[in-house]
Amino acid sequence: MTQSDSITRTTSSDEKAEFVEFFRQGLAQGNRDAFIEHFLPRITPDSRQRQPLARRGSGPAGFQRLFDGVFAAVPDLHGVVHRWGATDDGVLIEFTLIGTLGGKPITVDVVDRIVLREGRFVSNDTYFDPIPLLPKLLTRPRLALRLLPRFRLSRAELSPAGPGRSNALNLMAAGRLVLAVASLTAPQKFARTLGVRSSPELIYLTRIYGARALVMGLGYLTGGPQEQDRWKRFGLAVDICDTVSGVTHLLRRDVPMRTALTMVALTGSYAAIGASEIVADRR
């Protein structure tokens, strides 16, 4: 990366170099409290943070939410800066994150594009490949659950109530993720919990259900207001279909009663909450 000052910048070259050194020191902290304490004073109230496997953050509260989730899963997280370069409005920083996930060492190569204002974060777009992490998370449901706060806005980030900002819908989406993790990682136990005899065919179908629930939950939690508005309508349509199907089997009594009652209660509750939220939006 080259460092050129041919264009007037909002932050000088010296300030950018100072910021990168500040960034380097923060990455080396290796624990949550020291990391948050180091970076938080440099997060502007109107800053925006975007990362894979997370809902966008806003301001200091968003920054803290994102990294609370990361350190919950990787308590010893730290990083090493390799190189950096100046941009018109900030810096690009290439670094590697190092830590322990589920008792096993991990490394993640990352590039941050940071927009600066007087040496402080205005926005931070983080780029890395999340695919290698997914198998490790999906095979460790407890670790995956520790990341859920990254997908839900904290109270300090929430704007006045409006479409797509319902706490009930956030909880529903988080519930879909919990069901998804259970269906994908432990389909036999999930079937036994519902009172169904496990079989290879059922395991296959349960994992299909889990993948659907995973996409629906992540789609809602990581979307902006317009995307959330669409996802809650898609979710309502799916929940209504699932409830009607469940009631049909309940009336036919061709599946175990415990299974039918449990799933109808679950999908019916989701459908009722989703419908009430959409009606409330129209008032």
Side-chain angles (χ1 to χ4, degrees):
M1 298 183 188
T2 61
Q3 301 180 38
S4 170
D5 291 317
S6 59
I7 300 175
T8 302
R9 310 179 193 280
T10 56
T11 303
S12 70
S13 295
D14 289 344
E15 288 175 319
K16 291 174 183 178
E18 183 277 331
F19 177 85
V20 172
E21 182 58 30
F22 162 84
F23 189 92
R24 190 193 311 272
Q25 293 172 5
L27 281 187
Q29 296 299 323
N31 72 83
R32 174 201 169 278
D33 291 342
F35 181 92
I36 296 294
E37 183 178 350
H38 181 85
F39 280 103
L40 213 56
R42 297 271 188 126
I43 308 298
T44 59
D46 59 344
S47 67
R48 296 289 182 269
Q49 307 99 33
R50 184 170 60 181
Q51 301 177 359
L53 299 177
R55 187 170 180 177
R56 294 184 184 188
S58 175
F63 178 87
Q64 185 160 347
R65 168 178 60 83
L66 291 173
F67 284 99
D68 278 346
V70 172
F71 279 100
V74 189
D76 60 342
L77 185 73
H78 60 286
V80 177
V81 172
H82 302 304
R83 59 183 64 86
W84 70 279
T87 64
D88 292 345
D89 52 6
V91 293
L92 286 170
I93 305 177
E94 182 181 329
F95 57 97
T96 297
L97 290 175
I98 305 163
T100 306
L101 178 66
K104 295 184 178 181
I106 61 165
T107 59
V108 181
D109 294 325
V110 185
V111 174
D112 269 12
R113 183 188 186 284
I114 302 169
V115 176
L116 297 171
R117 182 195 304 142
E118 297 178 351
R120 301 175 69 197
F121 288 87
V122 173
S123 70
N124 186 5
D125 290 327
T126 297
Y127 301 94
F128 66 84
D129 182 7
I131 293 177
L133 296 176
L134 293 179
K136 297 178 182 180
L137 292 172
L138 291 176
T139 56
R140 296 172 176 82
R142 292 183 179 179
L143 286 177
L145 290 176
R146 293 176 185 175
L147 293 175
L148 284 181
R150 289 170 56 84
F151 298 100
R152 183 185 176 191
L153 292 179
S154 62
R155 290 184 179 180
E157 291 176 271
L158 288 171
S159 58
R165 297 296 180 181
S166 165
N167 282 334
L169 293 178
N170 284 335
L171 289 173
M172 284 170 54
R176 294 190 200 275
L177 293 182
V178 173
L179 289 172
V181 171
S183 301
L184 290 168
T185 63
Q188 291 176 310
K189 291 182 179 180
F190 186 67
R192 287 197 297 269
T193 300
L194 295 175
V196 181
R197 182 177 299 174
S198 180
S199 68
E201 295 85 358
L202 181 63
I203 290 174
Y204 170 58
L205 292 174
T206 300
R207 284 186 166 137
I208 290 177
Y209 163 80
R212 184 190 71 170
L214 180 68
V215 171
M216 291 173 63
L218 287 176
Y220 181 85
L221 288 172
T222 61
Q226 290 184 337
E227 290 84 1
Q228 284 189 328
D229 195 52
R230 284 195 296 270
W231 275 108
K232 72 181 173 185
R233 283 167 169 74
F234 293 154
L236 176 59
V238 169
D239 293 330
I240 289 174
C241 290
D242 287 348
T243 302
V244 170
S245 178
V247 169
T248 300
H249 287 287
L250 189 60
L251 294 175
R252 291 176 180 171
R253 298 190 177 183
D254 55 359
V255 297
M257 184 67 67
R258 171 184 167 188
T259 304
L261 286 174
T262 300
M263 296 309 295
V264 167
L266 177 64
T267 61
S269 299
Y270 269 48
I273 294 171
S276 66
E277 292 287 340
I278 289 174
V279 170
D281 288 347
R282 294 179 177 177
R283 290 176 181 172

